[in-house]
Amino acid sequence: MALSNDRMESLERVKALLNGQPVDRVPVFPFALGFCAKNVGYPIASMYDNPERSFEAQLWTQEMYGWDYPPFYGYASYGSWEFGGPIEFPSSELQQAPTIPYFPVQSEKDVDNLKLPDVTKAGMLPFAMQFCKLQQEHGLPIVLVVGGTFTMAGNICGVEKLCRWMLRRPEVADHLIGMARDHILDVVRHWAETFGGRNVAVQIWEPSAANQIISPAQFEKFVLPYQRSLHESILSMGIRYILCHICGEQNLNLPYWAQIPMGNPGIVSFGHEVGLDAAIKHFGGKCIVAGDIEPRVIQEGTPQQVYELTRQCLQKAKHSPLGYILMPACELPPMAPPYNVYSMMKAVNDFGGYA
Amino acid sequence: MASDSRTKEMLKELHDAVLAFDEDRTTELCHTVLREGIDAYRAVAEGLSQGMNSASDRYEKMEYFVPELLLCSDALYAGLDILKPAVLASGKRTGTKGSIVIGVVEGDIHDIGKNLVKTMFEAAGWTVYDLGKDVKLERFVEEQARTNSEIVAISALMTTSMLAMPKAINMLREKGSKARVLVGGAPLNADVARKFGADGYAPSAATAVEEATKLIEALKKQRQQG
């Protein structure tokens, strides 16, 4: 359902923003998965193990709230299953997303023996492909979600082990992160061949490289080179832009992230720990900036607090040079009170418009 | 028996080895402690543990990050493995500061933060009962009752799993537990911790021991008064 002040359709609005054309209001990417499942009465697991249900739950919830960004398939623990490990889909009310019960790589020898997965068969990739074919059938952009190189390496061996190897056995860490990058490139190439590079938008989520875990020096050594070559290769496949979710506290990494190409224009989204002022300072001149409504406030705050926080974000970022997308700072909490989510959209209607 | 000056020198070297996350050097020094008859209890309390405390300070100042802390922790535990038998044989207790039950709530498997908090408590001389990750809520209650721990520390990284915290706290209270509950994890803040009924909130691994110490002092005062 359109907001009362809308003068454009959702897809029209997103396309206009990406093409550098005027839009009627700030678009909204809700970053919502489990919330959509709850909204339509499906189990949260269906967002991950049932592409058809995941797609329709997102489409219906998008229509209900007037969101703009199209449905997408993905989860942050991507990597374990694809490299031969296990994955567990959410099975209780307390679980938000798939989890990794144990990692496929336990030792340096396992790293030596690791093989790049067959991207037509491995792990969740058949689900992701099925989902993207639904996007294609509905005339929507093809959105492929992958992890950042460091996050994926952490999903293969465990973040603690990766951290230890960074200091003790840097060549092992390098090899594993390199394999993660090569796998992501294989996936993107498969998608580009299937749908055409121009039709694919890649989302990259990178939570594990946050400064809550690694230092900026470690980022420079173990993230920057791999992430930069990943993005360069993706863009060389004809893919026009990358939506990069720079998750968590990454203030000290921003100068390095700013060296990584995101496309023309890229979209960078941030955790609330970074703040929209810093995001615009580092990226406003070359990317569309997205963020950063704190999920805790959406779930635990009052409707008035959500409305006010949304107003503040719009005020700070709606005039970012290449545009702004309102987005939660991370996944919209599945248990968020619906009225809080409505309050976010009400603020967009009241303060997100362009003259 | 080693002289005072030699003991002090070794304590400093142990501290420095842990802080430099030099596991081999820590191991070598701990063997020297035993060989030279240096007080193993002091070597743990004033050497190894102080090294970990200094590492925690550096983490708080963002001079160290998780990789460095993990390796400091490895050095600490390597040293403890060598010295603990001697400490136990000496009859001196190491867990004198308090006892704590710790775990990541049901539905959540993110335990890096919890593991660091556990290390900080052990380094500070607490007795830690670690329940691990994805812990059924009743396990917090059972373990607190079994150990009579003063503190129950509950961690969560997801907005969904953190909703288990008020349930766990209610379960503890319903069973009559007087333990103080400390919560932590990325989606929380002090307001949410209060809303959930927690007694304390630790925004980082480095601050958890300090917060728990305040809680335990308040608990002791309350017990003395009542």
Side-chain angles (χ1 to χ4, degrees):
Chain A
M1 205 167 76
L3 305 184
S4 61
N5 293 334
D6 282 359
R7 302 186 303 276
M8 297 172 94
E9 298 291 329
S10 285
L11 204 52
E12 181 189 7
R13 184 176 297 114
V14 172
K15 282 182 178 169
L17 184 75
L18 290 169
N19 288 325
Q21 294 162 351
V23 290
D24 59 341
R25 67 156 165 86
V26 168
V28 177
F29 171 29
F31 210 165
L33 288 162
F35 179 86
C36 300
K38 302 285 297 175
N39 186 48
V40 304
Y42 292 162
I44 289 179
S46 64
M47 300 310 289
Y48 307 102
D49 66 5
N50 189 327
E52 284 183 4
R53 283 192 154 198
S54 179
F55 185 81
E56 66 190 15
Q58 290 183 65
L59 209 58
W60 294 343
T61 311
Q62 177 187 359
E63 178 195 356
M64 179 176 161
Y65 283 99
W67 295 336
D68 299 296
Y69 201 84
F72 63 99
Y73 176 91
Y75 51 85
S77 48
Y78 164 53
S80 168
W81 193 15
E82 291 67 29
F83 276 86
I87 197 78
E88 277 182 9
F89 292 110
S91 58
S92 87
E93 285 290 300
L94 297 171
Q95 290 175 312
Q96 186 162 333
T99 54
I100 302 167
Y102 60 89
F103 298 100
V105 162
Q106 298 286 330
S107 66
E108 289 183 34
K109 198 176 164 196
D110 292 339
V111 177
D112 292 339
N113 294 334
L114 209 57
K115 300 269 185 295
L116 286 172
D118 176 348
V119 296
T120 64
K121 293 179 184 158
M124 61 82 140
L125 293 167
F127 285 153
M129 179 56 80
Q130 192 185 340
F131 192 95
C132 288
K133 290 196 167 155
L134 290 169
Q135 292 173 326
Q136 187 180 40
E137 283 168 23
H138 285 75
L140 295 170
I142 309 300
V143 179
L144 169 64
V145 178
V146 292
T149 50
F150 191 79
T151 288
M152 176 168 282
N155 287 340
I156 297 169
C157 72
V159 174
E160 289 190 24
K161 193 166 272 125
L162 184 61
C163 285
R164 286 184 167 94
W165 279 339
M166 281 162 58
L167 295 185
R168 288 275 182 253
R169 300 280 289 146
E171 66 280 12
V172 177
D174 272 321
H175 182 66
L176 191 58
I177 299 167
M179 284 202 78
R181 177 203 49 204
D182 293 347
H183 167 63
I184 297 165
L185 277 176
D186 283 349
V187 174
V188 177
R189 195 174 297 113
H190 178 45
W191 252 251
E193 285 165 3
T194 305
F195 299 103
R198 290 287 294 177
N199 301 317
V200 176
V202 176
Q203 268 190 45
I204 297 176
W205 302 353
E206 184 46 276
S208 298
N211 299 129
Q212 286 128 328
I213 298 179
I214 65 170
S215 70
Q218 288 154 355
F219 186 98
E220 184 180 18
K221 188 170 176 200
F222 291 100
V223 183
L224 177 61
Y226 297 100
Q227 202 66 34
R228 181 160 48 201
S229 66
L230 172 70
H231 288 222
E232 285 167 354
S233 300
I234 288 174
L235 296 170
S236 75
M237 292 178 202
I239 287 163
R240 195 178 143 204
Y241 69 91
I242 293 166
L243 189 161
C244 193
H245 179 53
I246 299 171
C247 190
E249 165 57 272
Q250 301 228 19
N251 276 294
L252 301 174
N253 298 335
L254 293 184
Y256 302 116
W257 277 115
Q259 297 173 33
I260 296 172
M262 300 288 174
N264 183 26
I267 304 174
V268 279
S269 76
F270 295 91
H272 59 274
E273 299 90 338
V274 167
L276 287 169
D277 291 333
I280 292 167
K281 180 183 156 201
H282 285 275
F283 295 93
K286 53 189 172 190
C287 289
I288 295 164
V289 168
D292 62 352
I293 313 284
E294 195 175 347
R296 170 175 51 225
V297 178
I298 305 175
Q299 179 173 291
E300 298 297 326
T302 63
Q304 293 80 5
Q305 287 169 329
V306 175
Y307 182 83
E308 173 58 16
L309 186 58
T310 308
R311 186 194 68 76
Q312 289 171 13
C313 286
L314 290 163
Q315 187 180 35
K316 275 184 197 167
K318 73 184 271 194
H319 295 296
S320 183
L322 294 189
Y324 170 58
I325 296 173
L326 185 97
M327 186 173 157
C330 203
E331 185 187 348
L332 184 71
M335 310 302 275
Y339 195 79
N340 281 6
V341 179
Y342 165 78
S343 299
M344 189 171 85
M345 296 309 296
K346 188 167 187 286
V348 171
N349 192 52
D350 293 348
F351 306 108
Y354 293 102
Chain B
M1 281 289 285
S3 67
D4 266 3
S5 64
R6 175 62 178 155
T7 300
K8 278 182 187 162
E9 180 192 343
M10 286 298 291
L11 296 179
K12 182 174 184 319
E13 286 206 37
L14 282 166
H15 165 278
D16 293 350
V18 170
L19 184 58
F21 42 93
D22 190 338
E23 193 174 329
D24 290 344
R25 178 74 180 140
T26 306
T27 303
E28 185 189 320
L29 288 166
C30 288
H31 286 302
T32 307
V33 164
L34 296 180
R35 202 168 48 244
E36 295 187 10
I38 292 166
D39 184 340
Y41 175 77
R42 287 189 68 190
V44 170
E46 298 173 43
L48 298 176
S49 297
Q50 286 307 315
M52 197 67 216
N53 289 341
S54 295
S56 169
D57 289 343
R58 289 196 179 182
Y59 179 69
E60 189 68 0
K61 291 177 191 160
M62 298 189 89
E63 294 168 5
Y64 273 10
F65 291 80
V66 169
E68 290 85 359
L69 274 193
L70 287 170
L71 294 191
C72 291
S73 157
D74 291 347
L76 170 81
Y77 286 121
L80 286 176
D81 283 348
I82 296 164
L83 296 180
K84 262 198 171 166
V87 174
L88 291 172
S90 74
K92 292 181 180 173
R93 293 178 59 216
T94 52
T96 55
K97 300 275 178 67
S99 60
I100 180 167
V101 172
I102 189 168
V104 181
V105 285
E106 187 178 347
D108 202 325
I109 52 131
H110 300 89
D111 63 352
I112 297 176
K114 184 273 293 174
N115 291 340
L116 291 176
V117 170
K118 174 190 172 185
T119 304
M120 300 305 177
F121 275 98
E122 289 188 328
W126 289 59
T127 303
V128 181
Y129 301 98
D130 181 10
L131 298 175
K133 58 191 176 184
D134 193 13
V135 178
K136 297 275 180 210
L137 304 188
E138 54 270 26
R139 286 288 299 123
F140 288 99
V141 181
E142 291 163 2
E143 190 68 356
Q144 191 281 323
R146 188 186 73 79
T147 61
N148 196 28
S149 292
E150 294 98 336
I151 302 287
V152 176
I154 311 177
S155 165
L157 194 80
M158 313 298 282
T159 48
T160 42
S161 59
M162 79 174 182
L163 295 173
M165 288 175 165
K167 293 179 186 169
I169 294 167
N170 282 339
M171 287 167 75
L172 281 161
R173 301 295 179 242
E174 280 167 11
K175 291 283 180 187
S177 169
K178 298 280 189 265
R180 293 295 183 252
V181 180
L182 180 66
V183 295
L188 289 136
N189 66 4
D191 289 341
V192 174
R194 257 192 305 275
K195 181 179 169 187
F196 285 173
D199 302 294
Y201 162 70
S204 73
T207 58
V209 174
E210 192 185 337
E211 183 67 16
T213 304
K214 282 184 202 159
L215 292 177
I216 212 168
E217 280 166 6
L219 181 64
K220 280 176 184 165
K221 210 174 272 179
Q222 194 185 33
R223 279 178 179 165
Q224 282 163 3
Q225 287 166 353

